[in-house]
Amino acid sequence: MKSYERLMEYAKYPTGSIEENASCPSNPKEFDFANALAEEMKSLGITDAEVDENCYVMGTIPANIEGYNGPVLGLIAHIDTSPDAPNENGCDIITSDGTTLLGADNKAGVAEIMTLAEILHNDSSIPHGTIRIAFTPDEEIGRSSDLFDVEKFGADCAYTIDGDLFGECQSETFSAMGATVTVTGISYHPGFAKNNMKNAIHVAEEFEQMLPVNERPEYREGREGFYHITSFNGSVEKATMGYIIRDFVWEKIESRCEVMRKAAEYLNHVYGEGTVQVEFTEQYHNMGEVVEKHPKLTEIPLDVIREMGYTPDTAPIRGGTDGAFLSFKGLPCPNLGPGGSNFHSRQEFAVVQDMENATKMIIEVVQRIAKLKKDEL
């Protein structure tokens, strides 16, 4: 079966993650897809394929090189789809009918890994080392690596097959911080509010306006970071705002946090101590800090892409992936593009030729990784 044919089958599973549900997986229907994948893996000779209680799918393609003691390579994709648009009852085509997500993020990556497994199962002439496969839940809501057992996975290195079009080979992500701003006001009858009321909504608005307008994500690109307000809930007595802070260098993240602290300090001086509180939550670091220590992991796919006649896209990911979290858990993990675009929207699409090229590229990468010694990574 071709990669794109698998994608069309996999798109039938409604696996949109649900941020409001703290369970793992957040959408119980992710188990349906996970179990189907495990059964398909077993049919392809992956005898240890399993789904754990948290909906992580893992399995092994044993090395077919006699006496193999090189790197154990991991291939990782996520089975959930974005909750940003409806994801049920779409048409069985490479673009949906425009009313739903297609789900190519990341079912295109899942399909390519499974197609690789089928090809290796059917063609013993392709030399390869030990390959560990993992499919994870809830990546779209930032939780897929929380319960990922790196020790159990047992790989020395890995690739996520995620992102956009074929030709991407990405070794950097944003570094990321989350922030919660809480504003405490004083409610008073509006007829007698003069010198008594402190409207938390207005103070929150002032805080937002104190951050640089031109550093909002709608004005940023390339290696430029940003402040992004993601939620607002407010009344006169209390208002809360959620922010994400992104940049590629951690020192710049810390500088952005300091800007927010200074804004809070100023408003507390104006409206009274304790009016504005800012709490920061470290989310993830740029995976380049880890991946740069393992240059072969990016050199190999870049060489393959060029040899296939294409120009690689090495632009950093303006977001995060499983690879960012897993790299800092001890599993260096660049990202390879599976062949889709317009993700998280109803205009999402996958390119048949790109998916086939991505599959060919991964097969070649697997063979070249198998020629390395573990200390050559």
Side-chain angles (χ1 to χ4, degrees):
M1 186 183 294
K2 300 286 189 180
S3 305
Y4 70 90
E5 294 171 328
R6 278 194 162 86
L7 171 59
M8 290 191 289
E9 289 299 312
Y10 296 164
K12 296 175 183 177
Y13 289 91
T15 55
S17 43
I18 304 170
E19 191 161 10
E20 297 77 18
N21 186 357
S23 299
C24 184
S26 62
N27 182 349
K29 293 181 180 179
E30 292 179 67
F31 268 120
D32 296 337
F33 187 31
N35 289 324
L37 286 172
E39 289 304 310
E40 185 179 0
M41 290 164 72
K42 290 175 183 176
S43 74
L44 299 175
I46 302 175
T47 57
D48 64 345
E50 63 174 348
V51 182
D52 72 10
E53 68 275 14
N54 295 308
C55 203
Y56 288 78
V57 186
M58 291 189 183
T60 308
I61 301 175
N64 66 355
I65 299 172
E66 186 175 353
Y68 182 75
N69 61 359
V72 176
L73 175 64
L75 297 175
I76 302 168
H78 63 86
I79 61 174
D80 67 310
T81 55
S82 171
D84 293 346
N87 53 77
E88 295 190 55
N89 303 318
C91 295
D92 189 20
I93 53 176
I94 299 300
T95 56
S96 80
D97 61 0
T99 63
T100 70
L101 288 169
L102 172 63
D105 181 12
N106 187 222
K107 289 173 181 173
V110 175
E112 288 157 11
I113 293 171
M114 292 296 291
T115 302
L116 170 138
E118 180 181 21
I119 291 170
L120 297 184
H121 177 64
N122 292 333
D123 187 351
S124 60
S125 70
I126 300 173
H128 61 84
T130 305
I131 301 169
R132 288 283 283 161
I133 292 173
F135 300 126
T136 65
D138 294 344
E139 190 268 356
E140 296 293 0
I141 53 177
R143 301 183 201 159
S144 59
S145 300
D146 291 355
L147 300 175
F148 191 106
D149 190 332
V150 170
E151 184 175 351
K152 176 183 176 183
F153 190 50
D156 298 298
C157 58
Y159 294 101
T160 50
I161 314 300
D162 201 350
D164 293 333
L165 296 173
F166 164 71
E168 288 182 336
C169 178
Q170 298 156 317
S171 59
E172 286 193 89
T173 60
F174 272 139
S175 288
M177 186 78 80
T180 301
V181 180
T182 304
V183 182
T184 302
I186 299 173
S187 183
Y188 218 86
H189 189 289
F192 308 96
K194 186 175 181 179
N195 299 324
N196 292 311
M197 178 185 288
K198 180 165 62 176
N199 192 322
I201 296 173
H202 294 322
V203 179
E205 289 173 337
E206 286 188 56
F207 181 93
E208 165 64 8
Q209 293 303 315
M210 291 178 71
L211 303 181
V213 172
N214 66 339
E215 295 188 24
R216 296 173 180 172
E218 55 263 45
Y219 305 118
R220 311 293 274 177
E221 63 182 354
R223 298 190 66 86
E224 298 172 330
F226 55 75
Y227 307 85
H228 178 38
I229 183 168
T230 58
S231 64
F232 180 94
N233 291 286
S235 65
V236 173
E237 287 191 330
K238 185 176 181 180
T240 59
M241 296 180 289
Y243 284 87
I244 61 172
I245 306 163
R246 299 291 187 265
D247 224 306
F248 289 97
V249 179
W250 192 253
E251 288 75 15
K252 291 185 178 181
I253 293 284
E254 292 176 334
S255 295
R256 292 181 183 282
C257 292
E258 186 60 20
V259 169
M260 297 181 79
R261 289 190 191 98
K262 291 294 185 183
E265 288 177 9
Y266 172 79
L267 292 171
N268 284 333
H269 176 74
V270 173
Y271 294 104
E273 194 62 35
T275 299
V276 180
Q277 294 180 309
V278 186
E279 296 180 351
F280 297 100
T281 303
E282 186 174 315
Q283 295 176 324
Y284 57 86
H285 283 245
N286 184 342
M287 69 182 181
E289 297 174 26
V290 175
V291 173
E292 68 181 2
K293 300 173 185 176
H294 306 274
K296 288 288 186 184
L297 283 180
T298 51
E299 289 173 8
I300 287 174
L302 288 174
D303 287 344
V304 173
I305 293 166
R306 292 189 188 102
E307 290 168 16
M308 292 176 68
Y310 296 89
T311 301
D313 179 0
T314 59
I317 302 169
R318 289 183 60 80
T321 68
D322 280 337
F325 296 96
L326 296 176
S327 291
F328 285 93
K329 284 187 171 187
L331 183 64
C333 195
N335 181 70
L336 303 175
S341 195
N342 288 354
F343 292 156
H344 294 206
S345 80
R346 303 178 197 222
Q347 287 73 47
E348 180 187 11
F349 63 87
V351 180
V352 170
Q353 292 82 359
D354 276 5
M355 289 189 67
E356 293 305 295
N357 280 331
T359 303
K360 293 175 185 176
M361 180 263 294
I362 298 164
I363 292 171
E364 183 61 31
V365 168
V366 162
Q367 294 177 77
R368 296 190 189 191
I369 291 288
K371 295 178 182 179
L372 301 177
K373 297 178 181 178
K374 290 192 178 187
D375 60 6
E376 291 181 315
L377 286 173

